[in-house]
Amino acid sequence: MDQTIVSRPARSRAPAVEALLDEIAAFGPQDAYERMLPAGCYTSPEFFAFEQKEVFSRSWICVGRVEQVAAPGEWLSSEVAGEPVLIARGEDGELHAMSALCRHRGEIIPCPEKGARHARCPLHFWTYDPAGRLTGAPRMGDAARLKQLRDTVRLPQLRLELWHGFIFVNLDPEAAPLAPSLAKLEPLWAGYEATGLTAVPPVLSDTPLPWNWKVQVENFTDAYHPEFVHIGTHDFAPSVGLGDGVRFTEMAPGDNAIVRSVPMKQADGGMMRDGWGPDAAFPAIATLPAEQRSRITFAMLPPSMTMMFAAGTIAYTLIRPVGVEATLAGSDRVTYGGWLLPRSTIELPDFLERCAAVREGGSKIWAQDVPVNKAMQAAKHSRFMPDGIYAPSERTLQQFNVWLVEAYCRAAQASSR
Ligand code: FES
Ligand SMILES: [Fe+2]
């Protein structure tokens, strides 16, 4: 019974999904750059199910940070493509990712308390070690039977990869490694990591945001909107009008980072109580190159995370879709936290006040995004939804469209084989 997750056999897809995939498959080479996806990709529950089963289950999904499972006996629970998962650090120091479904009759095993040596199923108290091996199964028979179960039963093990302390899990045993797909972000890290960077992880919102996950990340990556939506909170980091303004990166095949950077009006700025400004609550990091102290880089890592490389912090948002129009997220904008910070910042005597200031500034920006996201989601139901026309500063949206079209076509082929 030692097993890994196996793809389900191909099934015929729902007609609504087939129609949307046909429409996308008919896109010409330029279409993904020039028009938006069919609105049904944002509103159809069947398409959402297809996306979860066939795209998210073949993607690297960020579930948290190494700081959350720093020592043996620390556990983390999450969901990947709708599958409950557990992450644990074994006695040998190894990190393990596994399905959280008990091998007895499938009850979902909750996250154990910190320090627990075993995960325990709540239904009949079968227990598992941090590597997912069965350790106990009450009243299942004599010692020989228990030994036989212990020798053979293990929670299905999942692919796990660490990237700069972020824990990514992939349900696809054949998935290509993550790190090469994020190579374009490597040059950004050096000046931060010299500082003993430590995470203040976010907690995911417990109330879903009422829009599709793609609306969430499109809003993040859209360089065109801050000038109009974020008047007063984002003027300090404009996409236009200063030097060369917003910059984009090219997308190579297999890239999983969609990146833009914008200048700040003054070096060493960052998030303050009123949004982006010169007196950053998190002090600028001295080891960053001048270039990074004068710009903010926004990176989307579809489909589960967004990041902001700023002068004083790397801020990140974790995203978990729970329905076609229901998305959980966690970051300084939505909840609190989601920062990688130098030790020297965390040790400041007024650190918590600084965190509160960043949270306040982030939430003011977020309060401006919420109504436009709600309205964009509502528009996806309209018969008058346009195909769209992209502005020069919407390069990242075009790149995301291409990422999606490729992912959908790949998934459609894989699941029909
Ligand atoms: S279902 Fe887990 S112990 Fe029975
Ligand atoms: Fe915004």
Side-chain angles (χ1 to χ4, degrees):
M1 281 168 67
D2 193 352
Q3 0 182 332
T4 53
I5 285 221
V6 174
S7 311
R8 288 185 182 185
R11 291 182 307 181
S12 58
R13 287 185 288 259
V17 175
E18 288 296 347
L20 288 165
L21 290 175
D22 285 350
E23 205 176 324
I24 293 165
F27 272 31
Q30 273 303 307
D31 285 356
Y33 283 102
E34 289 169 4
R35 52 177 291 197
M36 299 197 296
L37 290 174
C41 297
Y42 297 76
T43 58
S44 156
E46 293 84 4
F47 193 82
F48 176 74
F50 161 77
E51 235 178 13
Q52 284 288 287
K53 287 289 177 202
E54 307 294 351
V55 177
F56 279 70
S57 63
R58 298 177 206 279
S59 299
W60 288 100
I61 305 293
C62 185
V63 295
R65 288 278 311 175
V66 283
E67 289 88 343
Q68 296 170 277
V69 276
E74 294 187 341
W75 304 73
L76 182 63
S77 68
S78 186
E79 258 185 48
V80 173
E83 293 283 358
V85 300
L86 284 173
I87 317 294
R89 193 173 290 279
E91 294 297 332
D92 58 359
E94 280 292 301
L95 270 182
H96 300 272
M98 61 206 100
S99 160
L101 266 63
C102 177
R103 303 321 293 166
H104 172 220
R105 283 206 287 116
E107 179 66 46
I108 295 171
I109 303 168
C111 191
E113 298 279 316
K114 186 172 180 175
R117 294 183 58 206
H118 305 275
R120 190 174 73 180
C121 177
L123 195 52
H124 312 100
F125 283 14
W126 282 30
T127 52
Y128 300 87
D129 72 14
R133 294 190 191 86
L134 186 75
T135 50
R139 303 196 190 286
M140 283 298 291
D142 60 15
R145 171 69 172 141
L146 182 59
K147 179 177 184 320
Q148 186 255 336
L149 286 170
R150 278 178 163 170
D151 288 348
T152 54
V153 174
R154 189 176 188 187
L155 300 175
Q157 299 294 293
L158 307 175
R159 293 274 303 281
L160 179 152
E161 194 171 316
L162 289 181
W163 180 73
H164 295 283
F166 287 102
I167 303 167
F168 284 81
V169 172
N170 199 319
L171 298 188
D172 180 0
E174 307 297 324
L178 171 70
S181 73
L182 303 178
K184 73 163 75 161
L185 296 175
E186 285 311 312
L188 293 169
W189 278 97
Y192 292 102
E193 293 196 314
T195 65
L197 215 53
T198 303
V200 180
V203 177
L204 278 191
S205 54
D206 49 17
T207 307
L209 302 162
W211 47 74
N212 184 266
W213 71 276
K214 297 185 289 295
V215 168
Q216 171 82 21
V217 295
E218 285 168 351
N219 171 252
F220 169 85
T221 205
D222 173 5
Y224 192 19
H225 84 287
E227 187 186 0
F228 312 107
V229 170
H230 297 305
I231 295 168
T233 58
H234 219 301
D235 311 333
F236 181 75
S239 297
V240 291
L242 266 190
D244 60 352
V246 63
R247 285 186 206 154
F248 301 106
T249 59
E250 286 309 307
M251 289 287 282
D255 268 5
N256 212 64
I258 295 172
V259 182
R260 80 180 194 275
S261 78
V262 300
M264 290 187 288
K265 287 184 173 172
Q266 194 178 309
D268 294 348
M271 191 57 67
M272 317 170 24
R273 283 195 188 283
D274 291 321
W276 297 108
D279 300 316
F282 294 146
I285 296 170
T287 48
L288 285 181
E291 165 88 356
Q292 277 182 265
R293 290 172 66 161
S294 61
R295 298 184 73 85
I296 307 168
T297 300
F298 297 79
M300 188 220 291
L301 281 57
S304 68
M305 184 162 76
T306 61
M307 305 177 76
M308 291 185 288
F309 293 80
T313 184
I314 299 171
Y316 65 97
T317 298
L318 296 183
I319 296 150
R320 185 194 300 167
V322 289
V324 66
E325 296 177 276
T327 302
L328 297 178
S331 68
D332 54 17
R333 296 176 180 212
V334 187
T335 50
Y336 178 90
W339 304 303
L340 306 188
L341 293 161
R343 276 255 144 254
S344 58
T345 299
I346 292 178
E347 286 164 2
L348 287 170
D350 58 350
F351 174 60
L352 290 179
E353 286 162 44
R354 290 167 183 270
C355 291
V358 172
R359 165 74 179 128
E360 192 177 327
S363 63
K364 283 177 183 165
I365 291 178
W366 188 236
Q368 295 167 323
D369 280 320
V370 167
V372 293
N373 285 350
K374 278 186 180 163
M376 180 58 83
Q377 184 65 42
K380 302 289 187 190
H381 291 276
S382 167
R383 73 192 66 189
F384 298 114
M385 191 67 195
D387 285 347
I389 301 165
Y390 286 113
S393 55
E394 290 180 302
R395 186 72 184 156
T396 46
L397 286 159
Q398 296 170 298
Q399 291 173 332
F400 181 48
N401 245 20
V402 172
W403 186 95
L404 287 168
V405 167
E406 288 178 355
Y408 294 151
C409 291
R410 218 171 26 242
Q413 283 165 6
S415 66
S416 62
R417 270 203 295 268

